[in-house]
Amino acid sequence: MVAHRPPLLFSLMVISFLVFPSTAIYSFEGVPLGITAQGAVQGEIVQTWKMGIGAPPYTHDFTLESQPVFARVYTGVWGGTEQYTGWVQVEINGKKQERITLYGKDDMSEGVYVSGHGVYWLAAEATGLVRKGENTVTVTTSRGEPNNKLDGRVYGILVIALLETGEGTVIQYWIAEGNENLHGEGWAGTSPTRHDSCAVTFGRVAPGDIRSAELSAVLLASTRGQPDYITFNGMDLGVPAAPAADYLPGARDIGNERSLDGSGGQGVDSRYTDFETFEVTPLIRETNTVIFELGRDLDGDGMITTTGLLSEGEDYIHPVLAMLTIRRESGDYPADLSVDPITVTNAYEGERATISAIIRNTGLVPSGPAEVVYAVDDTPVETRQVAIGYRGIQEVQGTWMATPGDHTVSVSVTVAGDPDPSNNRASRSLKVGSLPDLSVSLGDLEPSGMTGSRDIPFPMTGACAEVLVLAWWLRRRQAPPNLLTCLILVSGIFALALVPAASGTASGISAVSVPVTIRNSGGSDAPTFILTLYLDGEKVTEHEVTDGVPAGGEVTVRVPVFALPGSHTLRVVADERGTIPDNNRLNNTAERVYAFP
């Protein structure tokens, strides 16, 4: 475990009034990386961290040259499994923050990103707590308490602090947070899904006037010797994995339990975690996409092998943070605001609807407030003055007494000196009437075009599966070689014994797509809601129907499902949490038995 402050310092500007982060609902597949802070400032970002899994109390000491105007503290915790619960507490300079309960698969807490088999990434506001001079951040968990099952070891601590100077060139930044669970079928539980890659896009980068640009990333649950990749606008970042004899030709191993070695050099040990920074100046475009990859099929056999002497990918790995910083040649970069697509909730006849929007700033903090206008059919219904602070992203809300009929709802923002007002307005059409009435139906299975795993013998049941999982668990924890060898041999014997039983059946996982049609027979548009899918009684995925369903209309989503060949029962529920009013919830559920090929 090491504490490190990179030699390069960057600027950060953040907005101070934002619901941040939005409530993160547990998902095995992962919480997508999303931009939660952006902007520009004259000053520097300090990234100071300690990485490498260890038992609590886990402490990081660091020094800041001046009082930060904004600070954020991150930490990672290993739960052991998504079934276990416990708690974590962050202490900053002797001030203990509120203890956070970790709910595992039932987690819906703000600032808690949890996915996979209990990998947590937590974000906490630290403005006013972190100070000029010496600082100490300590993380404790429920590990060691009587009756506690949570593993509770800490992956690391990361602090991002803004030190504003008001001098020098301007630096733009974008910070994306989440907790993606990249994994193969072997580590996906009873529904053997595969999640090979994830992406995040940093947009609205003005061309020219760029002195330098860097991308930083944090990975949890990384493993040395198992390749993984990060690309920026389609180009591989980092250097070939070393030593070359331990890898297939062309492999990279960004998540190799050594931080700051992705671009070459020795780096520093950071067990099961990685913090990396890459120079990306020549790759910058107006829109920039970062892709994290679990591995690659280097030998062309159709699968990403994670076993053997030379593996092709990670068993699983969790990208949890990506940050892009761009240093400009100029010291003048005025506030440039934009409005994301808006949402309207509770828009039913006779009800007070809420109009919500996200305002983003890619320039300096404006000297005065911005004016936000909420309008319906081009008639303003509410106007507010909003302070655009150091966060760069702010959620704003207005209200409107909904009236029957078809309407166009809009949100616009203006601020003095905005160089590009073309993106300062967003609108959407909606229909207001009686309450929505959602109903769902399941269509016939369709080929998904995804390849099932050939790494898992079929059927893989009972002791064989348990021994293989135990062997993997010990391998990732550096178990004694003799014990590990014995377990692998035993698992091989079980696998061979099962081969005759598998004769005449499929040797892999059925990968299919299930069409789910959601109808809205009510008189009002249904806003965004969650579609939940169960496989043989176990929740396997949640899909956000972002655009909702229009009144009198329908939408069809195709949900990928992985299962062993044979008969399985699928059940789908629209808006299981009841977030939107519904005239009849009895038809929000559909169930069907399928024969998986």
Side-chain angles (χ1 to χ4, degrees):
M1 294 180 291
V2 297
H4 182 76
R5 175 174 172 173
L8 295 178
L9 301 177
F10 302 96
S11 298
L12 173 65
M13 180 192 67
V14 286
I15 281 221
S16 30
F17 304 104
L18 171 71
V19 179
F20 172 82
S22 59
T23 299
I25 300 172
Y26 167 82
S27 169
F28 181 85
E29 298 300 321
V31 181
L33 292 168
I35 298 173
T36 53
Q38 65 178 65
V41 75
Q42 289 179 301
E44 63 177 0
I45 270 187
V46 174
Q47 303 172 76
T48 173
W49 49 269
K50 176 180 178 180
M51 292 289 171
I53 197 166
Y58 193 104
T59 299
H60 175 43
D61 299 314
F62 59 96
T63 301
L64 296 179
E65 297 175 358
S66 61
Q67 180 66 32
V69 295
F70 169 81
R72 193 75 175 165
V73 172
Y74 302 90
T75 187
V77 175
W78 171 228
T81 169
E82 68 272 33
Q83 306 298 328
Y84 295 160
T85 60
W87 57 263
V88 61
Q89 187 169 42
V90 178
E91 181 179 327
I92 304 173
N93 292 327
K95 297 182 179 180
K96 292 184 177 181
Q97 305 307 294
E98 183 178 356
R99 181 178 289 185
I100 300 172
T101 301
L102 304 178
Y103 293 101
K105 63 182 179 61
D106 297 318
D107 215 303
M108 298 176 61
S109 303
E110 286 189 2
V112 179
Y113 302 96
V114 55
S115 66
H117 293 301
V119 175
Y120 290 86
W121 182 245
L122 300 98
E125 190 74 25
T127 307
L129 297 172
V130 175
R131 63 199 179 201
K132 177 182 179 180
E134 297 180 352
N135 293 267
T136 299
V137 176
T138 300
V139 176
T140 55
T141 71
S142 54
R143 181 181 176 89
E145 283 192 341
N147 302 318
N148 172 73
K149 291 184 178 181
L150 187 86
D151 182 286
R153 284 178 291 171
V154 179
Y155 282 111
I157 295 171
L158 167 67
V159 179
I160 297 178
L162 166 61
L163 309 181
E164 188 177 39
T165 65
E167 299 177 350
T169 59
V170 167
I171 301 178
Q172 288 183 287
Y173 83 95
W174 293 258
I175 298 176
E177 300 174 0
N179 186 351
E180 290 275 13
N181 175 25
L182 304 185
H183 65 88
E185 293 94 331
W187 315 108
T190 57
S191 178
T193 59
R194 187 175 70 197
H195 189 22
D196 290 341
S197 65
C198 65
V200 61
T201 297
F202 304 99
R204 298 188 63 212
V205 177
D209 193 33
I210 296 175
R211 177 181 297 182
S212 62
E214 289 199 353
L215 175 76
S216 298
V218 178
L219 303 170
L220 302 184
S222 54
T223 304
R224 179 176 176 81
Q226 293 189 317
D228 62 282
Y229 305 81
I230 301 178
T231 67
F232 188 88
N233 291 334
M235 299 296 292
D236 278 323
L237 298 181
V239 297
D246 293 346
Y247 296 88
L248 291 169
R252 279 172 165 76
D253 193 2
I254 306 299
N256 64 349
E257 304 181 71
R258 289 191 68 83
S259 293
L260 291 183
D261 72 333
S263 296
Q266 291 298 312
V268 289
D269 284 328
S270 52
R271 190 178 181 215
Y272 296 137
T273 64
D274 285 84
F275 178 95
E276 299 294 345
T277 299
F278 304 95
E279 171 70 29
V280 294
T281 307
L283 305 178
I284 289 293
R285 302 173 184 169
E286 183 176 351
T287 299
N288 301 276
T289 299
V290 179
I291 298 178
F292 297 86
E293 298 179 45
L294 174 77
R296 291 177 182 171
D297 176 18
L298 297 177
D299 60 11
D301 67 351
M303 57 185 177
I304 299 173
T305 303
T306 63
T307 58
L309 294 178
L310 300 177
S311 66
E312 295 177 303
E314 296 265 4
D315 292 317
Y316 59 80
I317 191 169
H318 290 246
V320 294
L321 185 139
M323 179 171 64
L324 176 64
T325 56
I326 298 177
R327 185 179 294 274
R328 296 286 180 175
E329 294 286 356
S330 171
D332 183 23
Y333 212 80
D336 185 1
L337 305 186
S338 64
V339 183
D340 284 1
I342 66 175
T343 61
V344 183
T345 57
N346 205 47
Y348 316 118
E349 183 177 358
E351 298 291 335
R352 183 163 292 278
T354 299
I355 307 169
S356 302
I358 299 292
I359 297 175
R360 298 181 184 269
N361 181 21
T362 57
L364 294 169
V365 175
S367 57
E371 182 177 82
V372 180
V373 178
Y374 307 87
V376 177
D377 301 326
D378 294 326
T379 300
V381 294
E382 190 171 343
T383 300
R384 293 188 179 183
Q385 300 293 311
V386 178
I388 305 297
Y390 286 97
R391 190 56 177 271
I393 303 175
Q394 183 168 349
E395 182 179 15
V396 295
Q397 291 184 340
T399 61
W400 161 61
M401 185 60 71
T403 57
D406 296 316
H407 301 283
T408 298
V409 180
S410 65
V411 175
S412 59
V413 60
T414 56
V415 69
D418 192 327
D420 181 18
S422 65
N423 53 14
N424 289 24
R425 181 180 184 273
S427 64
R428 65 169 298 165
S429 299
L430 60 84
K431 184 173 184 178
V432 175
S434 59
L435 293 179
D437 184 4
L438 298 180
S439 61
V440 293
S441 60
L442 290 161
D444 295 335
L445 296 183
E446 300 174 352
S448 72
M450 302 181 69
T451 304
S453 169
R454 284 178 280 166
D455 293 328
I456 307 173
F458 173 78
M460 181 178 173
T461 58
C464 177
E466 294 172 4
V467 171
L468 283 174
V469 170
L470 179 57
W472 163 85
W473 186 86
L474 290 169
R475 176 169 69 85
R476 293 192 67 142
R477 286 155 179 77
Q478 299 178 353
N482 291 341
L483 176 58
L484 181 57
T485 301
C486 289
L487 284 168
I488 293 174
L489 288 173
V490 170
S491 67
I493 293 171
F494 274 108
L496 289 173
L498 286 170
V499 169
S503 299
T505 64
S507 60
I509 301 298
S510 292
V512 300
S513 178
V514 180
V516 182
T517 298
I518 309 108
R519 296 178 178 84
N520 177 9
S521 57
S524 296
D525 294 343
T528 301
F529 61 91
I530 299 295
L531 186 69
T532 307
L533 184 72
Y534 291 83
L535 174 65
D536 296 329
E538 180 178 347
K539 182 189 295 186
V540 292
T541 189
E542 291 185 330
H543 175 82
E544 184 177 37
V545 185
T546 307
D547 296 329
V549 184
E554 66 179 43
V555 297
T556 298
V557 297
R558 284 169 170 78
V559 183
V561 179
F562 296 77
L564 294 171
S567 178
H568 296 282
T569 300
L570 295 182
R571 180 167 63 94
V572 64
V573 185
D575 190 32
E576 187 173 37
R577 298 185 181 91
T579 58
I580 61 176
D582 195 307
N583 190 52
N584 177 19
R585 293 195 177 277
L586 296 179
N587 56 5
N588 287 28
T589 301
E591 185 173 296
R592 182 173 173 180
V593 178
Y594 292 93
F596 279 66

